[in-house]
């Protein structure tokens, strides 16, 4: 459960569920691919945000404000904008308590 919660903070609920399902099913390579894809998406998002901030700064002639506080995780960001997280958790098996993953 700790691993899932740590993954959820950095990757969001849906991606963390997919990663944990892959690990629990012995598909380690698939789990690493999911993590790598999330990292690539974050880098692309940061690059896009930086480019947009630079373009807006050039258009306005002013410096963009420095963000205050800790950076948000993907999960926190989705909560901030109201992304619906309900229904994204695979249901747990009654006998083992492990999440039951849909077959790919």
């Amino acid at each position: 459960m700790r691993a899932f919660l740590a993954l959820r903070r950095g990757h969001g609920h849906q991606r963390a569920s997919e990663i944990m399902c892959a690990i629990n099913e012995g598909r380690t390579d698939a789990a690493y691919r999911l993590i790598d894809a999330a990292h690539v998406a974050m880098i692309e998002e940061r690059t896009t945000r930086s480019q947009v901030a630079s373009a807006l700064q050039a258009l306005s002639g002013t410096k963009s404000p420095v963000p205050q506080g800790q950076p948000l995780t993907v999960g926190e960001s989705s909560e901030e904008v109201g992304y619906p997280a309900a229904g994204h958790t695979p249901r747990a098996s009654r006998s083992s308590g492990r999440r039951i993953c849909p077959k790919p």
Side-chain angles (χ1 to χ4, degrees), residues 12-89:
H13 195 90
Q14 179 66 33
R15 181 65 56 116
S17 295
E18 292 168 359
I19 293 167
M20 290 303 298
C21 285
I23 293 292
N24 287 334
E25 293 171 355
R27 298 182 296 118
T28 309
D29 286 346
Y32 285 132
R33 281 192 298 274
L34 288 166
I35 293 168
D36 289 345
H39 289 162
V40 168
M42 279 194 322
I43 290 168
E44 290 173 352
E45 179 70 22
R46 286 182 185 151
T47 300
T48 300
R49 288 176 184 263
S50 178
Q51 292 170 343
V52 168
S54 294
L56 291 174
Q57 182 180 350
L59 288 172
S60 69
T62 63
K63 284 192 156 196
S64 56
V66 176
Q68 300 297 314
Q70 294 290 331
L72 296 176
T73 64
V74 173
E76 292 167 339
S77 296
S78 64
E79 288 175 10
E80 185 84 12
V81 298
Y83 181 79
H88 290 282
T89 307

